[in-house]
Amino acid sequence: MTTINNEKKTLGERIREQRILMKMTQEELAEALHIKKSTVSMYENDKVDIKGSILVELSRALKTSPNYLLGIEDNGEMIEIAFMLSAIKNENIRLS
């Protein structure tokens, strides 16, 4: 299993790493959040402060918790579950 070293990573770095682990492009994340790709890029490069409500939406889209994105908790179990779900080919089983 892939693990992430949370220490000393910025919010933007954690967003980028989680997006990549979820095999999402910036475009796909932007579409899921109904924002521009350039806004996702600014989030990932720590160019803007992210409101709490946006942080919650980001965490939902990235299948993680706001606390992980903020560096408060580890994300190991969430990542493992996401990888297991993504490996299921039958969408009906995956969504049950």
Side-chain angles (χ1 to χ4, degrees):
M1 181 179 82
T2 304
T3 59
I4 295 175
N5 182 357
N6 257 356
E7 295 177 27
K8 300 185 183 182
K9 294 199 185 282
T10 67
L11 172 60
E13 289 169 333
R14 285 187 294 277
I15 291 169
R16 178 181 297 113
E17 285 185 345
Q18 186 66 18
R19 177 182 57 76
I20 291 168
L21 283 171
M22 297 302 298
K23 299 180 181 176
M24 294 177 80
T25 63
Q26 284 186 339
E27 291 86 357
E28 291 168 331
L29 181 56
E31 187 176 307
L33 297 171
H34 306 288
I35 60 175
K36 296 178 182 178
K37 177 191 172 241
S38 60
T39 303
V40 172
S41 178
M42 287 190 292
Y43 291 164
E44 291 185 357
N45 290 296
D46 298 300
K47 300 288 184 190
V48 294
D49 289 329
I50 301 174
K51 294 180 182 180
S53 59
I54 300 299
L55 188 63
V56 170
E57 293 302 317
L58 271 167
S59 67
R60 285 183 184 145
L62 295 172
K63 308 278 192 271
T64 190
S65 72
N67 283 347
Y68 166 73
L69 293 177
L70 291 169
I72 297 170
E73 68 183 28
D74 185 24
N75 202 29
E77 187 175 310
M78 296 288 286
I79 292 171
E80 189 172 335
I81 291 168
F83 278 129
M84 288 188 308
L85 288 174
S86 68
I88 298 172
K89 301 298 181 199
N90 184 324
E91 188 173 323
N92 291 329
I93 295 171
R94 191 175 13 167
L95 297 175
S96 349

